[in-house]
Amino acid sequence: MMAVAPAIEPNPVVLRMLRRGTWTYVRVDYAALYCDDMVEIAGQQLSTVSGGPIALVWATVNVRELPRLVVGTVDTWVPPDHQPAP
């Protein structure tokens, strides 16, 4: 009998994106290379108070920007108090 390793579910990452002059936190549910160095992202906008999902988000970002946008995973991210945009 062959042993089967348990499936490891990926833990979604949370991105901090500047949209319309305010920080928006997005749980990434889907990401795919779109064109050249652009990545298409779909997920849920997270509340900065409760951390719960409040809206659907669909965005395209440069793949080189992704490392600085990641603020944690769904398990490690804590909703911030109000943070002013730069």
Side-chain angles (χ1 to χ4, degrees), residues 35-48:
C35 179
D36 295 327
D37 55 358
M38 300 303 286
V39 176
E40 191 174 61
I41 293 172
Q44 295 281 332
Q45 179 180 346
L46 301 175
S47 166
T48 58

Side-chain angles (χ1 to χ4, degrees), residues 36-86:
D36 295 327
D37 55 358
M38 300 303 286
V39 176
E40 191 174 61
I41 293 172
Q44 295 281 332
Q45 179 180 346
L46 301 175
S47 166
T48 58
V49 177
S50 69
I54 56 174
L56 292 174
V57 174
W58 196 275
T60 306
V61 296
N62 188 308
V63 73
R64 292 179 187 93
E65 293 179 23
L66 283 177
R68 71 176 183 82
L69 298 177
V70 175
V71 292
T73 66
V74 172
D75 292 339
T76 62
W77 179 73
V78 177
D81 294 329
H82 181 67
Q83 290 186 3

Side-chain angles (χ1 to χ4, degrees), residues 3-17:
V4 177
I8 298 173
E9 300 248 345
N11 203 357
V13 297
V14 176
L15 303 180
R16 182 176 79 162
M17 303 171 71

